[in-house]
Amino acid sequence: MDPLKVDYSEFIEGAAEMGIYIIVPLTAASGDGVLDRTLAAPKCYKKSLFNYGANALKEFLKYPNVLGGMVGNEVMNDEKSWLAAPCVRSYARNLKLFMDELVQEKVVKRTLPLIYAAQDSSVLGGAEMDSDTIVKLTADYLT
């Protein structure tokens, strides 16, 4: 969902009319919105990613049925990709600060909760762990 390239207003407003709430992605599979899990921090977090997320937030914050924004989807799936974890945390922090500024400047009336989608897996970096432990490690790191 690149709000700079596509107008999603008809979709979002149509969803609102049906009482449907939406969680919007704040990363993309390609282009400026990529948080590159193959690169260690800080290289995984390019300035273009922040600009992508900031523009997405400016667009989607105006819709009352947008429930939250996803800052990463299964970025930290194995031991090597955990090197990108600081980028996920920094990206979320920067987007929170950005939304706070928008509210303070009265550009928007609210902020969105930010979420991370973790993989439900019993293997992390070749080490067997139960999925509850993996989820807890991820949550502890990101909060």
Side-chain angles (χ1 to χ4, degrees), residues 2-118:
D2 188 340
L4 294 180
K5 295 180 181 174
V6 178
D7 179 6
Y8 293 98
S9 60
E10 186 177 341
F11 167 77
I12 296 173
E13 290 166 1
E17 289 173 11
M18 293 186 283
I20 297 172
Y21 290 84
I22 300 168
I23 296 173
V24 295
L26 300 174
T27 58
S30 62
D32 291 338
V34 171
L35 194 156
D36 193 341
R37 66 189 295 270
T38 66
L39 299 174
K43 293 179 181 177
C44 50
Y45 182 9
K46 297 182 171 123
K47 185 174 182 170
S48 62
L49 174 60
F50 175 77
N51 292 337
Y52 178 92
N55 286 323
L57 286 170
K58 282 192 270 187
E59 178 61 25
F60 295 130
L61 276 164
K62 65 186 177 187
Y63 298 103
N65 64 319
V66 172
L67 187 63
M70 187 179 316
V71 295
N73 184 11
E74 299 182 2
V75 174
M76 301 165 302
N77 287 349
D78 56 37
E79 191 173 340
K80 184 175 181 179
S81 63
W82 263 86
L83 296 175
C87 294
V88 175
R89 188 162 57 178
S90 295
Y91 184 47
R93 179 200 61 225
N94 293 346
L95 291 179
K96 285 180 184 180
L97 292 170
F98 177 73
M99 287 188 287
D100 288 343
E101 287 176 20
L102 291 177
V103 169
Q104 197 170 28
E105 295 169 2
K106 300 190 184 325
V107 175
V108 298
K109 295 180 181 182
R110 66 184 181 126
T111 62
L112 290 178
L114 300 178
I115 63 171
Y116 172 79

